[in-house]
Amino acid sequence: MTSPDVGAATRQRADERGDLVVLADVNKHFGDLHVLKDINLTVRRGEVVVVIGPSGSGKSTLCRAINRLEPIDSGRITIDGQDLPAEGKELARLRADVGMVFQSFNLFAHKTILDNVTLGPIKAKGVKPAEARERAMALLERVGVANQATKHPAQLSGGQQQRVAIARALAMQPKVMLFDEPTSALDPEMINEVLDVMTALARDGMTMVVVTHEMGFARKAGDRVIFMDAGQIVEAATPDEFFTNPRSDRAKDFLSKLLSH
């Protein structure tokens, strides 16, 4: 009698429930600091999960653990029913399914905007250059910077660079997009131009995990708000439930401080 394919069964269950990203009992330490404590979180296809909480609560570490930019100490993370490999080609292949947008734009300074967006598909996915350029131009149009395609990053504003970073992540045709405080390095007048692009992505059905301090975005575009404190998920609710009737004292305190500014 052959043993059942556990992975296939997991993938089938994920498909049936529409679960795309699953974290089970995830723990992470930085030395003596326990930054993620028994995290359990499921993100469904097409869902926008907004992660909020005070500084040092583990939000960014959670985001970076999902594509193993931060290795975890224990627990399990699956993307579309597949375990995240520890390293090597399998990890690179699975990472290609997970787009990531950081606080700092991380664009290649010596390459044009168009080259920044085409590099990943050509090198990592073997897309033909002409096809990659066509797709890149469509994405740059989508995020409103197609007219900047021949420039270099330093010639663009911070808001424009961040929109290019979003286009670059989308060019890999990811199953899920991770945003780690994507507007925190921007001047106030540039924040909305990036949030507008993200809101449009959410409206188009992109699965997203967004770490942000932008509560307006959480209310408008989020399907679920995850409130973290001291490495734990303290509360998970719809934006309406969370902002109008937070259940935990820690969430109430966090929101009262926000609203008093």
Side-chain angles (χ1 to χ4, degrees):
M1 181 177 168
T2 57
S3 61
D5 181 346
V6 176
T10 305
R11 285 192 292 277
Q12 184 178 350
R13 285 197 301 275
D15 286 342
E16 286 167 0
R17 291 198 309 266
D19 297 347
L20 185 56
V21 180
V22 180
L23 290 81
D25 300 320
V26 169
N27 283 274
K28 167 72 179 176
H29 294 77
F30 289 126
D32 292 335
L33 195 62
H34 197 173
V35 288
L36 295 178
K37 302 174 183 174
D38 296 317
I39 297 291
N40 289 284
L41 176 65
T42 298
V43 182
R44 298 173 65 83
R45 287 175 207 285
E47 186 179 25
V48 178
V49 173
V50 181
V51 184
I52 66 174
S55 295
S57 57
K59 307 183 301 292
S60 289
T61 305
L62 171 69
C63 193
R64 292 167 66 86
I66 291 174
N67 69 349
R68 213 178 259 281
L69 280 174
E70 290 290 357
I72 60 174
D73 298 327
S74 63
R76 187 180 182 199
I77 301 175
T78 59
I79 309 287
D80 209 5
Q82 295 187 50
D83 282 287
L84 274 181
E87 56 190 21
K89 287 183 179 176
E90 287 301 314
L91 177 59
R93 195 162 20 248
L94 205 57
R95 264 201 192 137
D97 289 336
V98 184
M100 183 97 190
V101 178
F102 302 88
Q103 293 180 36
S104 51
F105 324 120
N106 290 4
L107 299 175
F108 294 112
H110 62 290
K111 292 188 177 294
T112 66
I113 296 309
L114 184 59
D115 287 343
N116 264 280
V117 179
T118 58
L119 187 67
I122 292 170
K123 295 286 188 188
K125 289 201 164 181
V127 177
K128 290 185 171 60
E131 182 187 338
R133 281 194 295 273
E134 185 178 345
R135 188 192 301 167
M137 286 306 299
L139 287 168
L140 290 171
E141 183 74 44
R142 184 177 178 184
V143 301
V145 289
N147 60 340
Q148 310 291 337
T150 59
K151 293 182 179 177
H152 285 77
Q155 297 173 276
L156 274 60
S157 71
Q160 289 171 325
Q161 289 187 62
Q162 193 61 294
R163 285 184 279 157
V164 172
I166 292 171
R168 180 180 60 179
L170 290 172
M172 297 295 284
Q173 298 183 310
K175 294 177 180 177
V176 56
M177 287 277 284
L178 310 176
F179 294 85
D180 185 11
E181 300 196 12
T183 59
S184 64
L186 299 178
D187 292 334
E189 68 270 18
M190 296 174 187
I191 289 173
N192 282 339
E193 64 189 54
V194 173
L195 293 178
D196 286 346
V197 169
M198 292 167 60
T199 302
L201 278 181
R203 206 165 43 234
D204 291 345
M206 173 59 74
T207 309
M208 296 161 64
V209 177
V210 183
V211 175
T212 186
H213 294 292
E214 298 296 332
M215 298 302 127
F217 174 83
R219 281 178 179 271
K220 182 162 67 171
D223 294 305
R224 196 156 37 117
V225 171
I226 303 295
F227 175 72
M228 290 187 70
D229 190 35
Q232 295 176 301
I233 293 177
V234 176
E235 204 164 321
T238 66
D240 192 45
E241 289 169 338
F242 180 77
F243 288 108
T244 58
N245 189 28
R247 294 188 302 273
S248 66
D249 288 339
R250 280 185 280 181
K252 288 173 185 171
D253 184 52
F254 176 77
L255 288 173
S256 71
K257 285 175 180 168
L258 278 183
L259 296 173
S260 65
H261 282 73

